[in-house]
Amino acid sequence: MKSNDELKPMLIDGEWVRDDSHAFESVNPANGAVNYRVSAAGDTQIAAAVQSARSAAASKAWRTMLPHVRARVLAKIADGIDANAAELAQLQMIENGKVWKECLAQVASAASTWRYYAAVCETLGAEVTPSRGDYLSMTAYEPYGVVAAITPWNSPLTMEAQKVAPALAAGNAVVLKPSEITPSAALCVGRIALEAGLPRGVLNVVPGTGALAGKALVAHPGVGMVSFTGGTASGRAIAGVAAQRLIPVGLELGGKSPHIVFADANLDAAVAGVVDGIFEGSGQSCVAGSRLFVQRRVLGAVVEKLAQRARALRVDLPDAEGAQMGPVAGFAHRARIESLVDAARAEGGEIVCGGARPDDARLDAGSFYLPTIVTGLSNRARTVQEEIFGPVLCVLPFDDEDDLIAQANDTVFGLASGIWSADYQRAWRVARALEAGTVWINTYKQLSIATPFGGFKESGIGREKGVSGVRLYQQSKGIYWSMNPANVPA
Ligand code: NAD
C-alpha cells in the first residue's frame, strides 16, 4: 500500500527524476485523503525535458525508424495499457473521482487509440501529385520535432492517447505535461512506453502546474508545436504565446453544448440520452449536453421524466458497486459549481432537482454534488452561457426550428450538439445549421477514434483523431525531382 508521503517522480530523458522543489499533493476527491506527493517541473526541468526530446527527435534511432517498426512499438504500448488496465483505472479513479466502470472504459479506449495510430503509422504515406512537366512532384510529411502536449484532468487517459500516439506516429518526440490534478496515468503510460521499446527521450512526462510548467513549456524555443486540451481561457493564453513564437497549435477547448428534443422524438429514448449526456462523469465532459432545448408542447412531460431519472441516479463512492456518479474532481471545483447554481437561483432559475450536496454521511468527506436540473432561465443567463463542467443541466423551451437554431447557436462555444427527432429531414436541416464540431442524431456521446473531432468558434482550432489526426503533427514538404537531364535552364 502506498504511503501518502511517497514522492512520485517525473520521466525525463528515460530517467525517473524525483524533485521536491515544486512538488504538490495529489488529493482523492472521494474522501479528501492525500494520495501521494508528485514531483513537478519548473523552468529547469522543462528545459531538460525539451532538450531530451530534441535530441531524441533528431536521433537516428527515432527519425529513421521504419514506419512498420514504429507501428510495432505503438501497438506494444497499446498491449501494455491493456495489461496494466487495473492500475491505470485505479490511478485515474483516485485522482479525479470518476466511477470505476468509466475509468476501465477509458483505459480500453486509450489502448484502442494507440492501436489505431499504430495502423495509421504503418499505412499512411506520402503522395505523388500531378506534375506539370517531366518531373516527379511529391508531398512528403515531416514531423515538427518536439511536440508539447498539455492535457486536462477530466479524461487524462483518452486525451493523452489522442495526442501522444498520433504525434509519435508522425515522427515527433513529445513532452507531455498532464494536469496537476491527474498526473499519474501519464507517468504510468511513460513507463509502459519505455518497456515497449520507445527510445529514451521520445516521450518525457513532466507533471506541474499550468502557471509554471505549462507556461515554461509553451514558451520554450525548442518546442515546435503545441497540442492543448483544456479550458478556453488557458487555450487563448497558449495561442497568444504560440502566435508570438510563430508555431502551430492544436486547441481542444470548452463547450456548452445544445441538446435538442423535438416533440416528435421518442421521448423516453431522448430523456435517457439527455441524462447520460450531462450526468455521466458528473458532467465533467467537454461535450456534456448542458443546455437542453425542448419543444414547448412537450416541455412539462420531458422535465418530469428527466427529474425522475436524475433523482434515481446512484451518487456514490467511485468504487462502490453500481455507482453511476462519483464526486466532482475537487473541492474548489465543487465550490465553483455551487456558486454557479446560486447564480442560477439569483437569476430566477427553478431548481427541479439537486442543487445541493448529497445527504449521505458516507460521502461527507468527498466533493460530491447531486445531479441538478434548472428551468426558468433565459438563454442569456450566466449559468446557461458559462461552462460549468459539473452535473448541472439547464432546460429551455423553443417554439419552432428557427427559434431553436437561433438559441442553440447563441453561444461562444461550438463543440458538440445533439438532436432527437423522428423527422429525418428536419434532423438533417438542423444538423447542418448547428455551429458545432460534432452533431449526434438520436444518440449522444457516441465517439469513434476514426472520426475527426474538434470545435467550432471558441471551442478550438484544428481536429484530433482520425487518419488526419497524424497530419496535425506534421508539416508538408513539396519535393520536385527532375526525370529528364534536359530539364536545365538554358
Ligand atoms: P485548464 O485549462 O485549467 O488546464 C488544462 C491544462 O492546461 C492543465 O494541464 C493545466 O496545467 C494547463 N495550463 C493551464 N494554463 C496554462 C497556460 N497558461 N500555459 C500552459 N498550460 C496551462 O483545464 P482543466 O480544468 O484541466 O480542464 C477542463 C477544461 O478542459 C474544460 O473547459 C473542458 O471543456 C476542457 N476540455 C476540452 C476537451 C476537448 O476535447 N475539447 C476535452 C476535455 C476537456
Side-chain angles (χ1 to χ4, degrees):
M1 200 61 201
K2 293 176 166 62
S3 73
N4 59 11
D5 58 2
E6 176 194 350
L7 179 63
K8 288 211 171 208
M10 301 172 268
L11 176 60
I12 300 177
D13 200 30
E15 304 289 336
W16 294 102
V17 179
R18 284 195 170 73
D19 187 327
D20 221 347
S21 44
H22 306 289
F24 58 83
E25 280 181 345
S26 160
V27 174
N28 186 338
N31 55 22
V34 173
N35 292 319
Y36 26 66
R37 297 173 68 251
V38 184
S39 303
D43 291 350
T44 314
Q45 296 77 13
I46 291 294
V50 174
Q51 181 49 48
S52 159
R54 270 179 81 86
S55 307
S59 72
K60 264 203 162 154
W62 186 239
R63 186 144 176 81
T64 63
M65 187 183 277
L66 293 171
H68 68 284
V69 180
R70 188 178 289 159
R72 212 179 298 145
V73 177
L74 301 187
K76 262 183 142 179
I77 295 174
D79 294 344
I81 289 174
D82 279 335
N84 289 274
E87 181 184 353
L88 282 161
Q90 172 79 10
L91 288 171
Q92 169 165 312
M93 184 182 73
I94 64 174
E95 290 181 353
N96 74 3
K98 284 205 170 176
V99 297
W100 177 247
K101 203 172 90 184
E102 194 179 341
C103 292
L104 269 183
Q106 293 200 328
V107 177
S109 163
S112 22
T113 295
W114 281 91
R115 213 161 271 128
Y116 176 83
Y117 282 110
V120 174
C121 180
E122 194 162 351
T123 51
L124 191 64
E127 291 133 23
V128 175
T129 50
S131 71
R132 298 208 166 181
D134 207 1
Y135 52 83
L136 178 70
S137 60
M138 292 185 62
T139 305
Y141 294 89
E142 307 287 4
Y144 285 104
V146 178
V147 168
I150 302 179
T151 50
W153 47 260
N154 62 320
S155 301
L157 280 155
T158 52
M159 302 289 129
E160 285 152 11
Q162 249 162 257
K163 292 188 186 311
V164 180
L168 297 185
N172 298 281
V174 173
V175 178
L176 169 61
K177 195 212 79 65
S179 164
E180 50 275 46
I181 296 173
T182 48
S184 295
L187 292 166
C188 186
V189 171
R191 187 195 79 214
I192 290 167
L194 286 177
E195 288 165 3
L198 194 74
R200 65 189 287 160
V202 172
L203 175 60
N204 297 272
V205 183
V206 281
T209 61
L212 191 58
K215 276 188 179 167
L217 182 57
V218 176
H220 197 288
V223 167
M225 189 266 171
V226 180
S227 179
F228 172 79
T229 298
T232 292
S234 315
R236 204 186 302 280
I238 288 168
V241 177
Q244 287 304 312
R245 295 201 41 230
L246 291 175
I247 58 168
V249 283
L251 300 175
E252 298 284 355
L253 306 177
K256 191 79 186 180
S257 298
H259 205 159
I260 298 155
V261 179
F262 282 97
D264 63 5
N266 173 338
L267 295 187
D268 288 326
V271 164
V274 169
V275 166
D276 194 57
I278 179 67
F279 297 127
E280 190 207 34
S282 302
Q284 302 164 115
S285 160
C286 54
V287 294
S290 48
R291 287 187 304 146
L292 177 66
F293 295 97
V294 183
Q295 201 156 18
R296 200 179 294 275
R297 64 174 187 277
V298 292
L299 180 68
V302 167
V303 170
E304 204 180 306
K305 284 174 189 282
L306 281 171
Q308 245 176 34
R309 230 184 145 95
R311 284 194 196 103
L313 284 175
R314 173 135 172 234
V315 180
D316 209 332
L317 295 166
D319 55 354
E321 186 76 31
Q324 291 169 291
M325 263 181 61
V328 297
F331 296 89
H333 185 46
R334 179 175 65 180
R336 181 174 174 274
I337 294 168
E338 289 176 329
S339 80
L340 280 158
V341 173
D342 286 344
R345 287 190 179 97
E347 285 177 303
E350 188 200 331
I351 310 297
V352 177
C353 65
R357 302 174 184 185
D359 185 14
D360 180 342
R362 290 174 317 118
L363 308 182
D364 279 354
S367 51
F368 290 85
Y369 197 74
L370 288 174
T372 299
I373 297 177
V374 187
T375 57
L377 291 170
S378 95
N379 194 39
R380 296 311 306 162
R382 183 177 164 214
T383 330
V384 183
Q385 287 292 320
E386 226 173 271
E387 184 182 41
I388 299 176
F389 220 56
V392 182
L393 177 69
C394 297
V395 189
L396 295 93
F398 70 91
D399 293 307
D400 57 31
E401 226 173 282
D402 290 342
D403 169 35
L404 177 262
I405 289 164
Q407 290 200 70
N409 287 340
D410 181 17
T411 163
V412 295
F413 297 111
L415 195 59
S417 57
I419 303 165
W420 295 83
S421 173
D423 178 340
Y424 73 93
Q425 290 175 326
R426 171 160 54 204
W428 172 253
R429 278 194 307 273
V430 174
R432 296 307 301 266
L434 288 172
E435 295 164 352
T438 298
V439 182
W440 286 289
I441 300 171
N442 293 336
T443 182
Y444 202 81
K445 271 198 178 180
Q446 293 289 322
L447 287 164
S448 159
I449 184 62
T451 307
F453 176 87
F456 282 29
K457 303 196 290 193
E458 293 187 15
S459 288
I461 298 177
R463 296 290 179 267
E464 291 191 327
K465 300 189 175 180
V467 172
S468 56
V470 168
R471 297 295 190 222
L472 185 64
Y473 300 103
Q474 291 174 322
Q475 42 201 337
S476 74
K477 179 187 277 176
I479 302 178
Y480 298 86
W481 187 357
S482 172
M483 291 292 137
N484 184 347
N487 275 349
V488 176

Short mmCIF file of all heavy atoms in Angstrom, two decimals, residues 47-83:
data_model
loop_
_atom_site.label_atom_id
_atom_site.label_comp_id
_atom_site.label_asym_id
_atom_site.label_seq_id
_atom_site.Cartn_x
_atom_site.Cartn_y
_atom_site.Cartn_z
N ALA A 47 13.27 22.62 -19.31
CA ALA A 47 14.38 22.76 -20.26
C ALA A 47 15.05 21.41 -20.50
O ALA A 47 15.39 21.06 -21.64
CB ALA A 47 15.38 23.79 -19.74
N ALA A 48 15.22 20.64 -19.42
CA ALA A 48 15.87 19.32 -19.57
C ALA A 48 15.00 18.39 -20.42
O ALA A 48 15.50 17.65 -21.28
CB ALA A 48 16.12 18.72 -18.19
N ALA A 49 13.69 18.44 -20.18
CA ALA A 49 12.78 17.55 -20.92
C ALA A 49 12.76 17.93 -22.41
O ALA A 49 12.79 17.06 -23.29
CB ALA A 49 11.37 17.63 -20.33
N VAL A 50 12.75 19.23 -22.69
CA VAL A 50 12.71 19.66 -24.10
C VAL A 50 14.04 19.30 -24.78
O VAL A 50 14.05 18.81 -25.91
CB VAL A 50 12.41 21.18 -24.22
CG1 VAL A 50 12.51 21.63 -25.67
CG2 VAL A 50 11.03 21.50 -23.66
N GLN A 51 15.13 19.49 -24.06
CA GLN A 51 16.44 19.15 -24.64
C GLN A 51 16.50 17.65 -24.96
O GLN A 51 16.95 17.24 -26.04
CB GLN A 51 17.56 19.54 -23.66
CG GLN A 51 18.97 19.27 -24.16
CD GLN A 51 19.21 19.80 -25.58
OE1 GLN A 51 18.88 20.95 -25.88
NE2 GLN A 51 19.74 18.96 -26.48
N SER A 52 15.99 16.85 -24.04
CA SER A 52 15.98 15.40 -24.26
C SER A 52 15.13 15.05 -25.48
O SER A 52 15.53 14.24 -26.34
CB SER A 52 15.43 14.71 -23.00
OG SER A 52 14.96 13.43 -23.33
N ALA A 53 13.95 15.69 -25.57
CA ALA A 53 13.06 15.40 -26.69
C ALA A 53 13.69 15.86 -28.02
O ALA A 53 13.57 15.17 -29.04
CB ALA A 53 11.71 16.09 -26.47
N ARG A 54 14.40 16.98 -27.98
CA ARG A 54 15.05 17.47 -29.22
C ARG A 54 16.10 16.47 -29.71
O ARG A 54 16.16 16.13 -30.89
CB ARG A 54 15.74 18.81 -28.94
CG ARG A 54 14.84 19.99 -29.20
CD ARG A 54 15.57 21.27 -28.89
NE ARG A 54 16.46 21.68 -29.97
CZ ARG A 54 16.07 22.41 -31.01
NH1 ARG A 54 14.81 22.78 -31.11
NH2 ARG A 54 16.91 22.76 -31.95
N SER A 55 16.90 15.98 -28.77
CA SER A 55 17.92 15.00 -29.16
C SER A 55 17.27 13.73 -29.69
O SER A 55 17.70 13.17 -30.69
CB SER A 55 18.82 14.62 -27.97
OG SER A 55 19.32 15.77 -27.39
N ALA A 56 16.21 13.31 -28.99
CA ALA A 56 15.54 12.07 -29.41
C ALA A 56 14.91 12.22 -30.78
O ALA A 56 14.97 11.32 -31.62
CB ALA A 56 14.49 11.68 -28.37
N ALA A 57 14.30 13.41 -31.02
CA ALA A 57 13.62 13.62 -32.31
C ALA A 57 14.64 13.61 -33.45
O ALA A 57 14.34 13.19 -34.57
CB ALA A 57 12.87 14.95 -32.29
N ALA A 58 15.86 14.07 -33.16
CA ALA A 58 16.89 14.15 -34.21
C ALA A 58 17.68 12.85 -34.33
O ALA A 58 18.43 12.66 -35.29
CB ALA A 58 17.83 15.31 -33.90
N SER A 59 17.53 11.97 -33.32
CA SER A 59 18.37 10.76 -33.30
C SER A 59 17.98 9.82 -34.43
O SER A 59 16.82 9.73 -34.82
CB SER A 59 18.20 10.04 -31.96
OG SER A 59 16.93 9.43 -31.94
N LYS A 60 18.97 9.08 -34.90
CA LYS A 60 18.71 8.09 -35.96
C LYS A 60 17.71 7.05 -35.46
O LYS A 60 16.84 6.61 -36.20
CB LYS A 60 20.02 7.39 -36.32
CG LYS A 60 20.70 8.01 -37.51
CD LYS A 60 21.60 6.97 -38.13
CE LYS A 60 21.96 7.39 -39.54
NZ LYS A 60 23.22 6.82 -39.95
N ALA A 61 17.88 6.69 -34.17
CA ALA A 61 17.04 5.62 -33.62
C ALA A 61 15.57 5.90 -33.84
O ALA A 61 14.78 5.00 -34.09
CB ALA A 61 17.33 5.45 -32.13
N TRP A 62 15.19 7.18 -33.76
CA TRP A 62 13.77 7.51 -33.89
C TRP A 62 13.45 8.07 -35.27
O TRP A 62 12.49 7.68 -35.91
CB TRP A 62 13.38 8.51 -32.80
CG TRP A 62 11.91 8.81 -32.75
CD1 TRP A 62 11.31 10.01 -32.89
CD2 TRP A 62 10.84 7.87 -32.53
NE1 TRP A 62 9.95 9.91 -32.78
CE2 TRP A 62 9.62 8.59 -32.56
CE3 TRP A 62 10.79 6.48 -32.33
CZ2 TRP A 62 8.38 7.99 -32.39
CZ3 TRP A 62 9.55 5.88 -32.16
CH2 TRP A 62 8.37 6.63 -32.20
N ARG A 63 14.30 8.97 -35.75
CA ARG A 63 14.00 9.68 -37.00
C ARG A 63 13.95 8.72 -38.19
O ARG A 63 13.12 8.87 -39.07
CB ARG A 63 15.05 10.77 -37.23
CG ARG A 63 14.74 11.64 -38.41
CD ARG A 63 15.13 13.09 -38.23
NE ARG A 63 14.89 13.86 -39.43
CZ ARG A 63 13.70 14.34 -39.79
NH1 ARG A 63 12.66 14.17 -39.03
NH2 ARG A 63 13.56 15.01 -40.90
N THR A 64 14.82 7.73 -38.19
CA THR A 64 14.85 6.84 -39.35
C THR A 64 14.20 5.48 -39.07
O THR A 64 14.33 4.56 -39.87
CB THR A 64 16.30 6.61 -39.85
OG1 THR A 64 17.01 5.96 -38.79
CG2 THR A 64 16.99 7.93 -40.20
N MET A 65 13.56 5.38 -37.94
CA MET A 65 12.87 4.11 -37.65
C MET A 65 11.79 3.89 -38.71
O MET A 65 10.99 4.79 -38.98
CB MET A 65 12.24 4.16 -36.25
CG MET A 65 11.66 2.83 -35.81
SD MET A 65 10.85 2.94 -34.19
CE MET A 65 12.23 2.80 -33.07
N LEU A 66 11.78 2.73 -39.31
CA LEU A 66 10.82 2.48 -40.39
C LEU A 66 9.40 2.45 -39.82
O LEU A 66 9.19 2.02 -38.67
CB LEU A 66 11.16 1.16 -41.09
CG LEU A 66 12.49 1.22 -41.85
CD1 LEU A 66 12.90 -0.16 -42.34
CD2 LEU A 66 12.40 2.20 -43.03
N PRO A 67 8.44 2.90 -40.63
CA PRO A 67 7.08 3.02 -40.10
C PRO A 67 6.52 1.73 -39.50
O PRO A 67 5.86 1.76 -38.47
CB PRO A 67 6.26 3.45 -41.33
CG PRO A 67 7.24 4.10 -42.23
CD PRO A 67 8.56 3.44 -41.99
N HIS A 68 6.82 0.59 -40.12
CA HIS A 68 6.24 -0.64 -39.57
C HIS A 68 6.90 -1.00 -38.24
O HIS A 68 6.28 -1.64 -37.38
CB HIS A 68 6.32 -1.80 -40.58
CG HIS A 68 7.70 -2.28 -40.86
ND1 HIS A 68 8.58 -1.60 -41.66
CD2 HIS A 68 8.35 -3.39 -40.44
CE1 HIS A 68 9.72 -2.28 -41.74
NE2 HIS A 68 9.60 -3.37 -41.00
N VAL A 69 8.14 -0.57 -38.04
CA VAL A 69 8.81 -0.83 -36.76
C VAL A 69 8.24 0.12 -35.69
O VAL A 69 7.93 -0.28 -34.57
CB VAL A 69 10.34 -0.66 -36.90
CG1 VAL A 69 11.04 -0.95 -35.58
CG2 VAL A 69 10.87 -1.56 -38.01
N ARG A 70 8.08 1.39 -36.10
CA ARG A 70 7.47 2.36 -35.17
C ARG A 70 6.06 1.90 -34.79
O ARG A 70 5.65 1.98 -33.63
CB ARG A 70 7.42 3.73 -35.85
CG ARG A 70 7.00 4.84 -34.95
CD ARG A 70 7.02 6.17 -35.68
NE ARG A 70 8.37 6.61 -35.97
CZ ARG A 70 8.68 7.49 -36.93
NH1 ARG A 70 7.73 8.00 -37.70
NH2 ARG A 70 9.92 7.85 -37.12
N ALA A 71 5.34 1.38 -35.78
CA ALA A 71 3.98 0.91 -35.53
C ALA A 71 3.98 -0.22 -34.49
O ALA A 71 3.11 -0.29 -33.63
CB ALA A 71 3.35 0.43 -36.83
N ARG A 72 5.01 -1.06 -34.59
CA ARG A 72 5.07 -2.19 -33.64
C ARG A 72 5.25 -1.66 -32.21
O ARG A 72 4.68 -2.19 -31.27
CB ARG A 72 6.24 -3.10 -34.03
CG ARG A 72 5.98 -4.55 -33.71
CD ARG A 72 7.14 -5.43 -34.13
NE ARG A 72 7.39 -5.43 -35.56
CZ ARG A 72 8.62 -5.52 -36.12
NH1 ARG A 72 9.70 -5.59 -35.37
NH2 ARG A 72 8.76 -5.52 -37.42
N VAL A 73 6.06 -0.60 -32.06
CA VAL A 73 6.26 -0.03 -30.72
C VAL A 73 4.93 0.55 -30.20
O VAL A 73 4.54 0.32 -29.05
CB VAL A 73 7.35 1.07 -30.74
CG1 VAL A 73 7.49 1.70 -29.36
CG2 VAL A 73 8.69 0.51 -31.21
N LEU A 74 4.21 1.26 -31.08
CA LEU A 74 2.93 1.86 -30.65
C LEU A 74 1.94 0.76 -30.26
O LEU A 74 1.22 0.88 -29.26
CB LEU A 74 2.33 2.73 -31.75
CG LEU A 74 3.17 3.92 -32.26
CD1 LEU A 74 2.39 4.78 -33.24
CD2 LEU A 74 3.67 4.79 -31.12
N ALA A 75 1.92 -0.32 -31.05
CA ALA A 75 0.99 -1.42 -30.74
C ALA A 75 1.37 -2.10 -29.42
O ALA A 75 0.51 -2.53 -28.65
CB ALA A 75 0.98 -2.44 -31.88
N LYS A 76 2.68 -2.16 -29.15
CA LYS A 76 3.13 -2.76 -27.88
C LYS A 76 2.70 -1.89 -26.70
O LYS A 76 2.40 -2.38 -25.63
CB LYS A 76 4.66 -2.88 -27.87
CG LYS A 76 5.16 -4.26 -28.26
CD LYS A 76 6.67 -4.27 -28.13
CE LYS A 76 7.19 -5.57 -27.58
NZ LYS A 76 8.65 -5.56 -27.49
N ILE A 77 2.71 -0.57 -26.92
CA ILE A 77 2.24 0.33 -25.85
C ILE A 77 0.76 0.06 -25.60
O ILE A 77 0.31 -0.01 -24.44
CB ILE A 77 2.50 1.82 -26.23
CG1 ILE A 77 4.01 2.07 -26.32
CG2 ILE A 77 1.85 2.76 -25.22
CD1 ILE A 77 4.42 3.45 -26.82
N ALA A 78 -0.02 -0.12 -26.69
CA ALA A 78 -1.45 -0.45 -26.54
C ALA A 78 -1.60 -1.73 -25.70
O ALA A 78 -2.41 -1.78 -24.76
CB ALA A 78 -2.10 -0.63 -27.90
N ASP A 79 -0.79 -2.74 -26.02
CA ASP A 79 -0.88 -4.00 -25.26
C ASP A 79 -0.52 -3.77 -23.79
O ASP A 79 -1.14 -4.32 -22.88
CB ASP A 79 0.08 -5.05 -25.85
CG ASP A 79 -0.34 -5.48 -27.26
OD1 ASP A 79 -1.50 -5.22 -27.64
OD2 ASP A 79 0.51 -6.07 -27.97
N GLY A 80 0.51 -2.92 -23.58
CA GLY A 80 0.93 -2.63 -22.20
C GLY A 80 -0.17 -1.91 -21.43
O GLY A 80 -0.36 -2.14 -20.23
N ILE A 81 -0.91 -1.05 -22.11
CA ILE A 81 -2.01 -0.34 -21.44
C ILE A 81 -3.09 -1.35 -21.04
O ILE A 81 -3.58 -1.34 -19.91
CB ILE A 81 -2.56 0.78 -22.37
CG1 ILE A 81 -1.52 1.91 -22.46
CG2 ILE A 81 -3.91 1.32 -21.87
CD1 ILE A 81 -1.85 3.00 -23.45
N ASP A 82 -3.41 -2.25 -21.96
CA ASP A 82 -4.40 -3.30 -21.63
C ASP A 82 -3.91 -4.14 -20.44
O ASP A 82 -4.68 -4.45 -19.53
CB ASP A 82 -4.63 -4.22 -22.83
CG ASP A 82 -5.61 -3.62 -23.83
OD1 ASP A 82 -6.44 -2.77 -23.42
OD2 ASP A 82 -5.54 -3.97 -25.02
N ALA A 83 -2.63 -4.49 -20.48
CA ALA A 83 -2.09 -5.37 -19.43
C ALA A 83 -2.07 -4.67 -18.07
O ALA A 83 -2.09 -5.33 -17.03
CB ALA A 83 -0.69 -5.83 -19.82
#
